[in-house]
Amino acid sequence: MSNLLLLNGANLNLLGQRETGIYGRDNLSDVENLVRIRAKEHGHNAVCFQSNSESELVEAVQNAPSQEISMVIINPGGYTHTSVALRDAFLAVSLPFIEVHISNIFSRESFRHKSYLSDIAIGVISGLGILGYRLAIIAAHQWLTEKHDTSSVD
C-alpha cells in the first residue's frame, strides 16, 4: 500500500459554486471522496489537502517525503501558471507527481497555456472534468506498481 497525496490549489475550495460551466457541479468534497475511494480500490491510502495559499502547498510538498507519500496528484489551480516556488519544491523532494486540470487549459486564455509543472510531472491530465482525478489514481497505481510504465493503463 502506498500513500498518495492529493493537493488542490487556489479556488478549488469553490468547486460546484464557481463557473460551473467550466468546472462542473461537483464540489471539492466530492472530488476528495472519489480520490479516497478509488485509491483504496487500488490498495492505496489517499490524503487530501487544499489551500489557497501557495506557501501551504509548498510546505505540503516539502513535508510529503517525511509522511511517507509515494506520489502526489496535484491540481495547482492558478498556481499552475505562476508558481516557480511550487516547481522548486517538487524538484527539491524528487517526488513523482501527476498534474490534473478539470478544464482544458489549452482551450482557455493564452496565459493558462503555460504550466510551471508539466515538464517535471510524470503526466498531465487536462480537460476531462473530475474524471481526470480518477484517471490520475489509475496512472499513479500503475506507475507505482509496474516499474513506472504507464503505456498500458487499464
Side-chain angles (χ1 to χ4, degrees), residues 22-121:
I22 295 173
Y23 299 108
R25 299 210 177 276
D26 293 304
N27 62 38
L28 182 60
S29 180
D30 297 329
V31 170
E32 291 176 344
N33 287 335
L34 168 76
V35 167
R36 284 187 190 103
I37 290 166
R38 297 302 180 187
K40 189 173 186 176
E41 288 175 355
H42 290 284
H44 306 293
N45 178 53
V47 177
C48 302
F49 180 73
Q50 185 278 330
S51 181
N52 293 318
S53 168
E54 180 181 28
S55 65
E56 289 182 0
L57 295 169
V58 167
E59 287 178 10
V61 171
Q62 290 176 352
N63 292 330
S66 67
Q67 297 172 346
E68 299 182 7
I69 300 294
S70 300
M71 171 80 69
V72 176
I73 296 169
I74 183 169
N75 182 340
Y79 294 127
T80 304
H81 324 291
T82 64
S83 185
V84 173
L86 199 51
R87 175 191 178 86
D88 288 348
F90 276 110
L91 289 171
V93 299
S94 300
L95 196 60
F97 70 95
I98 298 171
E99 181 180 348
V100 174
H101 298 283
I102 295 169
S103 69
N104 181 349
I105 62 174
F106 300 103
S107 67
R108 300 186 63 197
E109 304 93 337
S110 61
F111 71 86
R112 295 187 194 273
H113 299 179
K114 170 65 178 160
S115 167
Y116 281 97
L117 301 176
S118 294
D119 67 315
I120 60 170

